[in-house]
Structure formats: C-alpha cells, structure tokens
Amino acid sequence: MRMTVEDVMTAKVVSVTAATPFKDIAQALITGGISAVPVLDDDDHVIGMVSEADLLRKEEFREEFYNEGYRPPLRARLRHPKGRQKAEGDTAADLMTSPAITITPAATAVAAARLMDAHDVKRLAVVDRNSRLQGVVSRRDLVKLFLRDDEEIAAEIRDDILDRTLWVDTSSVTVSVNNGVVTLSGWMDRRTEAGIAARMTSRVNGVVDVVNKLTWKTDDSTWEAR
C-alpha cells in the first residue's frame, strides 16, 4: 500500500499564534529542535508558517538598517522580496509566510514530496477538511521512507504486487532486495506484463531503484503499434 502523509507526519506539533513575539518563536524553535512552526488563529486554522530563515532576515538586514554600508546580495533580495519587511517584524504575523502550503493526512507521501518541490519548501502543514492543524510533514519525514527493511520491501512486492495486483502468472518471478535496490528476475508470459511489474515495483515505498532482469515468452509490445 502507498504510504500516506498521516503515516509519516509529526502529529505533536509546536505552534504559535499571530501575536507571538519574535523571541518566543525563536525559543520555541530551539526548545523543540525544529526549523519551523505553523501559525494558528483562534480556531486552530493554519494561517501561515514561520521558519528559521524568516527569523534570520532580521540579522541579514541588520547592518543595512544601521547604515553600516552592507546590502544583501541581489540574488538574496530577488529570492526573498519581503526580506526587509520580515526583518522589521516583531511578531509571527509580521514574520510568517502566508498562506501556508498545506496538505491533507490522506494524501500520499509522493504527493507531499511533489508539493514541497513545486513550492520549494521543506515542510507542509497537515490540515483536515476545515483547514485545522493535524500535524506537520517534513522532507526528513519523507526520507525515512527509504529506511524500510529490505525484507519488508520484498514482502510487499511479492504479496501486494505479484500475488494480488497483477492478474497474471508470476510464479516464475524472483524478487531480491539489497539496500533498497530491487532485482526482478525469472520470466513472465508477455513483455508488457514484465514492464508493468517493474513499474509497479518502482512505486513501492523504500525502493531506491529497480533492476529488471525479467524475460518473457511473447513480445507483445509490437501489437499495440499495429
């Protein structure tokens, strides 16, 4: 089965409100050993996210404020156009990135990874259908998927893909896994079936790569072109 956000997210989350002062946010990050906190309204709706990077804007722009001749590099100003505004902020409302990028607990871990990549963020607030906070999922949480035991991965491929999902004879297929790299060997009746088996295997959580050594009795790949 595909892992969902709920399977990997952190449910016990440190959060702040819009009125939380700068130093209290910094203390929450340090005490919690985390890099960001969601900002909630009075109804536990997620209205933004404050990260370490948001707090560091104050230090980054400090010399500019004190007329010491320093200006952040152009690339930094272009990448963070609101840097000056955040550097002047004293509360979470001033510092947060809003709206927060959110995802639901039922979404797949793959969907979470794609959303992070699309928005260039390191974490997502996990919310229910009413936008209330349920947890946080980070890149680190998703990386943990690759720590699955080789035997656990092999068992899932044999039981869920070869024996249940593929409605064809897979009795001659052998599965071996070494450090997340799956090798499929043996044979199947058709070339297209072997291809489907390899593609489905690559989607199993924890699979780093698939080495497809399957052979086939009939090359039906040319049938579709006719």
Side-chain angles (χ1 to χ4, degrees):
M1 295 177 62
R2 302 299 289 166
M3 287 282 190
T4 66
V5 169
E6 187 172 19
D7 295 325
V8 297
M9 73 180 189
T10 299
K12 294 182 179 180
V13 179
V14 177
S15 62
V16 298
T17 68
T20 302
F22 183 104
K23 285 194 174 182
D24 288 354
I25 299 170
Q27 187 63 56
L29 295 178
I30 294 170
T31 303
I34 52 180
S35 60
V37 288
V39 184
L40 308 183
D41 66 12
D42 293 338
D43 250 347
D44 286 339
H45 297 126
V46 179
I47 59 175
M49 189 81 76
V50 178
S51 69
E52 292 172 328
D54 294 324
L55 299 188
L56 288 173
R57 297 287 170 262
K58 189 174 290 293
E59 196 64 33
E60 181 179 2
F61 282 78
R62 185 184 298 277
E63 290 190 357
E64 183 177 359
F65 296 151
Y66 285 93
N67 298 316
E68 296 178 13
Y70 170 79
R71 293 192 72 206
L74 176 60
R75 63 181 180 276
R77 300 198 302 273
L78 292 175
R79 189 168 63 249
H80 305 292
K82 295 183 178 180
R84 179 190 292 270
Q85 176 184 331
K86 290 189 177 185
E88 295 174 340
D90 295 322
T91 65
D94 305 321
L95 299 160
M96 69 183 182
T97 298
S98 181
I101 308 302
T102 63
I103 196 165
T104 64
T108 65
V110 171
R114 290 176 177 170
L115 192 58
M116 288 181 196
D117 183 62
H119 292 274
D120 192 25
V121 295
K122 297 179 180 179
R123 68 205 60 80
L124 304 170
V126 184
V127 299
D128 63 16
R129 66 181 64 184
N130 296 313
S131 296
R132 289 189 172 90
L133 183 68
Q134 302 296 298
V136 169
V137 61
S138 68
R139 288 179 179 176
R140 180 176 296 182
D141 295 325
L142 299 180
V143 169
K144 289 177 184 177
L145 294 175
F146 290 101
L147 299 181
R148 293 184 73 194
D149 183 76
D150 287 344
E151 281 303 315
E152 183 182 351
I153 294 172
E156 180 174 341
I157 295 169
R158 294 190 195 101
D159 297 341
D160 292 347
I161 295 179
L162 299 180
D163 293 346
R164 297 177 188 171
T165 305
L166 293 176
W167 291 64
V168 295
D169 181 15
T170 59
S171 58
S172 297
V173 177
T174 301
V175 180
S176 62
V177 185
N178 183 27
N179 290 324
V181 178
V182 180
T183 300
L184 298 177
S185 54
W187 58 268
M188 298 183 71
D189 284 336
R190 298 183 178 183
R191 182 174 182 174
T192 55
E193 294 169 354
I196 292 171
R199 287 194 297 274
M200 294 187 70
T201 295
S202 70
R203 297 170 186 164
V204 171
N205 289 302
V207 171
V208 175
D209 197 7
V210 177
V211 179
N212 186 2
K213 293 185 177 181
L214 291 171
T215 59
W216 50 85
K217 293 182 177 179
T218 303
D219 185 354
D220 62 336
S221 60
T222 59
W223 297 0
E224 298 177 358
R226 295 177 181 177

